[in-house]
Structures are given as structure tokens and as C-alpha cells.
Amino acid sequence: MKLIKKDEFLNFVDSLIKIDPRRVIGVKSKGNKFIFDTLNSANELRLDYDVTILPPKKYFLPPTETLLKYDLTDKFSVEAVNEVTPLIIIGVHPYDLIALQQMDIVFRDTYQDHNYIRKREESILIGVNIQNVSPYSFAGSMGTATTEEGFDLMLTDLGDEYAIEIGSEKGEAILNKYAKIADADGDTINKVHDIKGKIASKFKKQLNFPPEELPKLLEENYDNELWEKNAQKCLSCGSCNLVCPTCYCFDVQDIVELNLRRGKRVRTWDGCLLEDFAKVATGENFREDRAARYRHRFMRKGKYLYDRFGFIACVGCGRCASACLPDIADPCKVFNALKEG
Ligand code: SF4
Ligand code: SF4
């Protein structure tokens, strides 16, 4: 573990920005909310944020991304497109780091998604331990309030300085090259350990049972009337999907130029709450019913992906709860309600 004075940390970030301003992303304020965005100066960084509107997923699975271009003008030619800017993302909270690790598993599964994988491999993630808790978040009971992996560097605020845990060789390399650091002593290591140990208890919102019980609970409640009752208020806006760090569904479309000779294949974010999500070519819609779509999202978070990959695909960030106008998207509320019967 290393130590860096706060003013030296800002110098470190400014040095990174100077090398390539396109590469350095950090958490900034936007009105009374927070976003991940390109940093123009280290002074814009807000490492005391509670939660960002969108997770850092948007840099690895962009909302719109061209996958290939084709041209039939002379002879048929196809060019794979994979635009990668190696990013340094500063201020990622542990629950978002864990969500990215889940995405890594999904995008490396049966099909290796090179567009996603290269962006991830070429990026550097500088995490920060949570200082302020979002009132919507229940990461404390999902085991995602802290993490020992998934970062290149991890900061813990110690007042005048940050403790820095090193998670990878590339994290260590940029630190050694651009930052003025000192070794942390045993007392500091214990202090960081104590701070991390107390973070989970700062979350007021809690799941009332261990998350490991979710797959069974959901299986037993597939026909619960709660799905229909809550879904009556659902606007099918898809916001709960789009803000979620563990939702990864996308649509793929061919966009053909008017001359019908050239075109491109583009993928865009999609969401299982949207009406057309499960519509197929013949017009058949496998989840036409709003309640079926509403239930599907919770089944997917707490059971289907658990059955497939062995993890609960909700890290408790609370973004969906804060984005849902009729207030029916909150997994913590829904899961607790199912448990209470
Ligand atoms: S389901 Fe909601 S609380 Fe869970 S990870 Fe997604 S946005 Fe966050
Ligand atoms: S649950 Fe809420 S956020 Fe999700 S689609 Fe329905 S209204 Fe929109």
C-alpha cells in the first residue's frame, strides 16, 4: 500500500490529463448529481460523490457503437470497427467495479466480444472507497460496498492524504511514473482496514435477508401477484435497465445508405422493460405483457444470471430506484416484499 498527499494526487491527475486529455475520465458534479465525464482539470474531480447517474459501463459498452462497415461499390468489402481509446477512469466505487467484473464474465462467455474486451483491457480503473452513501443504495447488504479486486488502483480518503492499494502492474506503473508517493506503514494499513470494515454499516437501506437466498425466493414467487400489481404502474420507459451497471442487453441494426451500396452495423443499448424487446421478425412478442417484462428483470437479476454464472446480477447501486418515476423498480423493496410474503 502507498500514500499520496491530496495536493500531490491532484498533480498526478493533472499530469495524466496533460499527456492525453481524451484519456482521463473522472467523477464530476452536474447540478446536484454526479457523472463520469472527461476531466479538463483535476480540480473538477468529486471523489466524495454518492452515486453517478450512469455507471462507467458506458465507456466499454457505449450507448451506440458501430461494429462493422460494408461497401458493395466495387467488390463486397467488410471492415470490422473497434474504436478504442485507452481510458484512465478515476473514482469508480466498489459496486461499479464488481458490476464490471460481472460484465467481463458475460462478454467473455460463449462469444468473445472483442469490442468490449479490448476497451476493458486497455483501460485503467482507479477506484475510491465510498465516502457518502446514496439514499437509494443497498450495496452494504449485497456484499459490494467494498472490494479487494477489479481495480488497478484503489483510493481511501485519510484526511490530508489518500492511501492507495495497488491492484495491477499497469496501475503501479502509472503511479511510479507520474506520482509522488510514499510507502504506507502498518498503522496506515490497519486504519484503511478499519475504514473499509465500517463502510457496509453506513447504508441505511438493507436487504432483510442474505442475497444468496434470492434465487430460491424468486423461483418460489414466479406467480406472486406483486408482479401484476406493480406492473400496472410501469411506464415501460426502460430507465431502470439503462442506468443499471449490470444490464448489458443490446440491439443490432444495419443502417444502409440511400444508394444501397454502403452501410454499417450498429449496436445500441436495449432493455427488457421496453415493449419491443422480445419482439422477433415475424411480429411475435414473447413478453408482450407488461407484468411479464417487469418480472423478467427481477428474475434475471436474482435468479437467471445466478443459475448461469453464479452471481447475483444486482450490485445494489440504487440507480434504478432513483430513475423510476412510479417507484416500482427498486430491487431492495421488491425482494424484501417477496420475502415478507
Ligand atoms: S438492478 Fe438497480 S440496484 Fe441493482 S445494480 Fe441494477 S441499477 Fe443498481
Ligand atoms: S419499472 Fe420504472 S423505470 Fe422501469 S420501465 Fe417501468 S416505469 Fe420505467
Side-chain angles (χ1 to χ4, degrees):
M1 192 178 291
K2 303 288 177 188
L3 277 176
I4 189 167
K5 296 270 177 219
K6 281 194 171 167
D7 53 351
E8 287 297 345
F9 180 73
L10 294 182
N11 289 340
F12 164 61
V13 175
D14 278 330
S15 319
L16 298 175
I17 295 171
K18 217 187 240 173
I19 300 162
D20 188 348
R22 289 173 315 143
R23 284 191 62 185
V24 187
I25 307 292
V27 178
K28 294 160 61 163
S29 62
K30 186 175 184 188
N32 60 357
K33 296 194 186 267
F34 297 96
I35 55 169
F36 281 98
D37 196 7
T38 309
L39 288 178
N40 301 305
S41 149
N43 287 324
E44 292 177 332
L45 259 181
R46 287 292 305 272
L47 296 181
D48 60 340
Y49 75 100
D50 53 1
V51 68
T52 54
I53 298 174
L54 289 180
K57 169 186 91 173
K58 64 181 179 176
Y59 295 108
F60 308 112
L61 180 69
T64 303
E65 179 176 26
T66 301
L67 301 178
L68 61 85
K69 291 180 178 165
Y70 49 89
D71 190 340
L72 312 173
T73 314
D74 295 324
K75 56 184 173 89
F76 182 61
S77 72
V78 182
E79 177 202 346
V81 180
N82 191 358
E83 284 163 6
V84 181
T85 304
L87 298 174
I88 301 169
I89 306 182
I90 305 169
V92 186
H93 274 169
Y95 50 79
D96 276 337
L97 291 167
I98 292 168
L100 283 171
Q101 287 183 297
Q102 294 188 357
M103 297 261 291
D104 292 350
I105 292 170
V106 170
F107 282 100
R108 287 176 195 274
D109 192 36
T110 43
Y111 173 73
Q112 298 277 307
D113 191 303
H114 295 292
N115 285 61
Y116 173 88
I117 292 169
R118 263 200 64 209
K119 289 184 189 63
R120 279 286 283 129
E121 284 177 349
E122 297 196 18
S123 68
I124 292 177
L125 298 179
I126 303 182
V128 66
N129 275 312
I130 300 167
Q131 295 164 47
N132 288 303
V133 170
S134 158
Y136 294 99
S137 179
F138 52 103
S141 44
M142 298 304 284
T144 55
T146 55
T147 182
E148 301 303 319
E149 53 185 28
F151 52 82
D152 296 289
L153 299 171
M154 173 59 91
L155 307 170
T156 304
D157 192 324
L158 299 177
D160 293 339
E161 53 195 359
Y162 290 113
I164 311 180
E165 290 163 76
I166 295 173
S168 74
E169 283 179 10
K170 58 184 177 180
E172 187 170 25
I174 56 161
L175 205 56
N176 287 336
K177 195 162 177 190
Y178 300 109
K180 249 191 205 165
I181 46 171
D183 287 329
D185 59 16
D187 283 351
T188 309
I189 294 170
N190 289 338
K191 200 169 168 187
V192 170
H193 194 258
D194 281 354
I195 291 172
K196 287 170 75 170
K198 287 178 186 146
I199 293 174
S201 63
K202 289 185 181 173
F203 290 76
K204 291 206 174 66
K205 212 165 123 183
Q206 299 280 347
L207 195 68
N208 295 335
F209 57 95
E212 297 75 36
E213 291 181 18
L214 273 169
K216 191 161 178 281
L217 178 75
L218 284 162
E219 188 173 343
E220 288 167 356
N221 283 281
Y222 188 83
D223 293 318
N224 195 300
E225 60 189 22
L226 174 140
W227 309 121
E228 184 63 49
K229 194 176 121 226
N230 282 5
Q232 281 174 13
K233 298 186 207 157
C234 179
L235 308 168
S236 299
C237 65
S239 302
C240 50
N241 294 132
L242 301 184
V243 299
C244 179
T246 64
C247 276
Y248 54 81
C249 290
F250 55 81
D251 192 15
V252 177
Q253 288 179 333
D254 280 357
I255 299 174
V256 185
E257 289 185 12
L258 281 177
N259 62 13
L260 303 182
R261 307 301 293 170
R262 282 187 293 268
K264 58 184 179 178
R265 181 160 295 172
V266 176
R267 75 167 158 197
T268 50
W269 286 357
D270 204 349
C272 57
L273 268 291
L274 297 169
E275 206 170 339
D276 282 352
F277 180 78
K279 200 171 182 180
V280 293
T282 56
E284 182 73 30
N285 191 338
F286 295 103
R287 277 190 296 278
E288 200 165 14
D289 180 43
R290 210 167 25 161
R293 295 197 296 276
Y294 177 77
R295 174 178 59 193
H296 178 78
R297 173 172 165 261
F298 293 98
M299 297 299 288
R300 187 129 169 114
K301 298 285 166 208
K303 173 161 171 56
Y304 300 154
L305 289 185
Y306 179 85
D307 290 348
R308 173 86 186 259
F309 297 114
F311 54 72
I312 301 294
C314 170
V315 292
C317 69
R319 289 181 176 99
C320 56
S322 105
C324 178
L325 287 178
D327 191 19
I328 50 164
D330 186 343
C332 190
K333 269 193 199 168
V334 168
F335 294 151
N336 282 340
L338 291 178
K339 183 74 181 175
E340 282 157 23

